[in-house]
Amino acid sequence: MAKIETKCTRSGYTPKNGEPRSLPIYQSTTWKYEKSDDMGALFDLEAEGYFYTRLQNPTNDYVAAKLADLEGGVAAMLTSSGQAANFFAIFNICEAGDHFLASANIYGGTYNLFGTTLKKMGIECTFYDQTMSDDELQKLVRPNTKCVFGETITNPTVMVFDIERMAAFAHRNGIPLIMDNTFATPVNCRPFEWGCDIVTHSTTKYIDGHASTVGGAIVDSGNFDWMAHKEKFPGLCTPDESYHGITYATKFGKGAYITKATVQMMRDLGAIQSPQHAFFINIGLESLHVRMERHCANALKIAEFLKNHEQVDWVHYPSLEGDEYNELAKKYLPNGSCGVLCFAVKGGREKSIQFMDSLKLATIATHVADAQTCLLHPASHTHRQLSEEQLIEAGVAPDLIRYSVGLENADDLIADLQQAFETIK
């Protein structure tokens, strides 16, 4: 079996004799067929092929196949953004009147999607504390609870999710565990190996790696037995009248979840990845394994510098020895976590903002996980829509600075941090 480095560079698209070496961009909305029945079979899901890019496109499918291989899954699909991926992942198995559990320590945009927008659609989310005991978690489960959601490494608090424990908890309740693996990427963590069922990504982050392409992805392990819990998942386990009574779980087996997400969610909601952007994402994937190693090495060096600095109140980075999540990082992220860390400057929120404004090399940007170092203040930026109570629930301190370490020379970044500390003395 090929190693992860080889999969990054070679998986997904394998050209035949005389075909293009690089992944082609199929910049076409439609495909030609000679006979009406040929296209009719595609619309009935009785044949494989392409007819309209909103549902499927070869460029997208090649990249999705690479991501599925990297994660160890059976199938994947690309979406227009990571936010769309998380929405589709939940909405594919939840409908009005349903309930699901999500970690309170997730990205602010996802928190708002789950807690506000899905609520308007009749889907209720209960946010849980990742440090809760199994008994406490069990009290949150309802008869209509359909899944558990978490982030491998939380954004922005860089907590490490206990995948194996939470997968066991979800499965005891007959529901899947869905993990957002954006920060760790499949290079540093493969959640399926620890019992997770479905993985999502914001490919906008490390997978693209250059702040040039917005995208998302969903990968299915194929391991969750939908029919064993068919009363909970009618969308997958009962006939879909919009496709002449097809039952996805019986007709498509391990491919049921992604097939339904493609032919139903994408058909109706249309949040597709453009083929041009899928091409760029594939370029990012080809160097992902090299870049992640550098991101992690730089971040650890900077975390150690900050930990020992007299003007720093606290620093969190899971690969840092002594960090609260270091033991979980050793278990799930033995080759490194990510390039994101968080810290606070002594003096509180205003001092932290003054420090950020004094940096010259790191860029204040609503982004994370790319080649250039950037930072932001979550309470003022990504989590701005949350109330003070919600910020506390999400573990986002008012003085927290999220610092995303890029691929620059680490010593140059440390010098930039130092001059900012000198400026605010």
Side-chain angles (χ1 to χ4, degrees):
M1 181 181 292
K3 303 294 185 184
I4 197 79
E5 297 87 351
T6 304
K7 290 182 177 182
C8 280
T9 54
R10 303 296 290 271
S11 187
Y13 172 65
T14 305
K16 298 176 183 177
N17 187 47
E19 292 185 339
R21 149 66 182 85
S22 294
L23 174 67
I25 303 172
Y26 286 83
Q27 196 63 46
S28 179
T29 60
T30 45
W31 276 257
K32 175 190 173 183
Y33 288 91
E34 299 293 339
K35 297 180 180 179
S36 176
D37 286 349
D38 293 339
M39 185 169 286
L42 294 171
F43 274 96
D44 284 344
L45 307 183
E46 295 297 336
E48 294 185 4
Y50 299 95
F51 56 91
Y52 197 56
T53 280
R54 187 177 80 242
L55 280 99
Q56 285 181 290
N57 177 283
T59 306
N60 292 17
D61 284 356
Y62 285 130
V63 180
K66 175 177 283 191
L67 280 166
D69 193 27
L70 287 169
E71 288 285 6
V74 298
M77 67 180 291
L78 302 187
T79 61
S80 58
S81 66
Q83 192 80 333
N86 283 335
F87 172 53
F88 278 18
I90 299 296
F91 201 49
N92 200 34
I93 53 176
C94 290
E95 53 191 57
D98 284 342
H99 169 258
F100 70 102
L101 300 175
S103 167
N105 306 102
I106 55 177
Y107 164 61
T110 311
Y111 191 105
N112 195 69
L113 167 67
F114 290 173
T116 302
T117 302
L118 284 179
K119 187 176 182 179
K120 294 176 182 178
M121 302 172 74
I123 299 170
E124 187 175 355
C125 177
T126 297
F127 293 100
Y128 63 88
D129 184 335
Q130 292 182 192
T131 64
M132 279 181 169
S133 68
D134 285 7
D135 288 342
E136 290 174 311
L137 285 166
Q138 191 60 48
K139 293 175 183 177
L140 303 179
V141 178
R142 307 174 187 175
N144 62 339
T145 301
K146 298 301 175 71
C147 64
V148 179
F149 182 92
E151 293 175 349
T152 311
I153 303 172
T154 59
N155 178 10
T157 51
V158 293
M159 300 164 64
V160 179
F161 194 86
D162 194 342
I163 306 169
E164 188 172 33
R165 174 199 166 214
M166 292 302 294
F169 166 77
H171 296 161
R172 283 196 300 273
N173 287 280
I175 55 178
L177 173 63
I178 303 175
M179 294 294 309
D180 185 327
N181 199 30
T182 296
F183 271 15
T185 82
V187 170
N188 284 346
C189 185
R190 287 157 57 94
F192 295 156
E193 295 177 358
W194 299 100
C196 172
D197 300 290
I198 296 155
V199 158
T200 65
H201 286 280
S202 171
T203 59
T204 314
K205 310 304 189 297
Y206 286 120
I207 286 175
D208 167 56
H210 301 87
S212 62
T213 303
V214 175
I218 308 171
V219 187
D220 182 20
S221 69
N223 293 331
F224 192 82
D225 189 346
W226 303 104
M227 289 302 292
H229 310 282
K230 59 184 179 181
E231 72 286 348
K232 282 184 173 288
F233 305 103
L236 283 158
C237 303
T238 59
D240 179 357
E241 296 307 323
S242 71
Y243 279 106
H244 308 296
I246 283 175
T247 299
Y248 297 102
T250 55
K251 185 174 181 62
F252 299 104
K254 288 183 178 292
Y257 178 88
I258 292 296
T259 299
K260 179 178 180 292
T262 301
V263 304
Q264 195 181 84
M265 297 293 101
M266 194 64 79
R267 176 197 65 186
D268 295 343
L269 299 171
I272 191 171
Q273 178 76 85
S274 78
Q276 180 77 57
H277 286 184
F279 173 83
F280 292 145
I281 287 167
N282 187 60
I283 291 175
L285 282 168
E286 290 184 348
S287 64
L288 180 63
H289 56 291
V290 180
R291 291 185 287 105
M292 288 306 293
E293 184 176 351
R294 179 63 175 267
H295 280 296
C296 292
N298 275 0
L300 182 57
K301 189 171 184 178
I302 287 167
E304 289 169 344
F305 164 77
L306 292 170
K307 182 181 180 181
N308 297 315
H309 201 285
E310 60 181 10
Q311 289 173 263
V312 173
D313 196 15
W314 52 263
V315 58
H316 295 316
Y317 183 61
S319 297
L320 186 65
E321 201 68 38
D323 186 86
E324 181 182 359
Y325 289 91
N326 188 241
E327 289 305 312
L328 283 177
K330 288 176 180 176
K331 176 178 179 177
Y332 296 118
L333 307 154
N335 298 321
S337 51
C338 63
V340 181
L341 53 88
C342 60
F343 67 99
V345 177
K346 289 180 179 178
R349 179 171 182 162
E350 293 307 315
K351 206 69 171 178
S352 291
I353 292 174
Q354 185 186 352
F355 169 81
M356 290 174 61
D357 292 345
S358 300
L359 291 165
K360 297 178 180 178
L361 190 56
T363 303
I364 298 174
T366 312
H367 193 50
V368 68
D370 99 61
Q372 296 187 22
T373 295
C374 53
L375 77 165
L376 55 69
H377 182 247
S380 301
H381 303 144
T382 56
H383 290 62
R384 193 179 186 92
Q385 285 76 25
L386 303 189
S387 66
E388 289 298 320
E389 293 77 15
Q390 289 173 323
L391 283 171
I392 293 169
E393 186 178 9
V396 178
D399 55 355
L400 183 151
I401 295 171
R402 186 185 72 183
Y403 189 84
S404 176
V405 185
L407 302 178
E408 303 94 340
N409 183 282
D411 290 337
D412 288 341
L413 295 171
I414 288 171
D416 184 38
L417 291 166
Q418 185 57 44
Q419 67 80 26
F421 282 125
E422 292 294 332
T423 301
I424 67 169
K425 271 188 176 178

